[in-house]
Amino acid sequence: MIKMIVNEEQKSIFNGTLATNTTEPLYLQLFNHLKHLIDSGELHPLDQLPPEVELSKQFKVSRITVRKAIAELVDCDLLTRKQGMGTFVNKPKIERT
């Protein structure tokens, strides 16, 4: 079952500002924040992220910054983008030894 992050408690995990007084790029700060939400279980597999426009407003960054952070998370196989549907948290991969 796919669920959209819509209730106020869940929306609050996306609220915040990123540090502007550091040399770390904003997209990387956002990447680390979203990765932490996924790794800590605050975002569950199949959860849908808010749209890029909404994330850019909530974090007070440009949409390009959000797109770059999400692209990095997709490259790490933590998120999946589905055209016309949104961006979703992937199920964790099971490593076989």
Side-chain angles (χ1 to χ4, degrees), residues 9-81:
E9 180 182 319
Q10 290 173 316
K11 268 189 173 180
S12 68
I13 65 175
F14 294 107
N15 287 335
T17 56
L18 304 176
T20 56
N21 58 348
T22 180
T23 57
E24 186 177 31
L26 292 172
Y27 85 90
L28 194 52
Q29 291 180 51
L30 183 56
F31 167 88
N32 288 328
H33 180 73
L34 294 174
K35 185 176 184 311
H36 170 74
L37 294 175
I38 294 167
D39 291 344
S40 69
E42 290 182 69
L43 287 176
H44 303 97
L46 303 180
D47 277 354
Q48 184 177 10
L49 268 60
E52 292 172 0
V53 173
E54 184 67 29
L55 287 173
S56 67
K57 288 178 186 176
Q58 290 174 350
F59 285 99
K60 299 175 178 69
V61 295
S62 72
R63 188 169 171 209
I64 294 169
T65 300
V66 172
R67 287 180 67 81
K68 190 165 183 179
I70 289 175
E72 294 287 328
L73 290 162
V74 169
D75 289 344
C76 292
D77 207 27
L78 294 171
L79 297 177
T80 299
R81 282 185 163 150

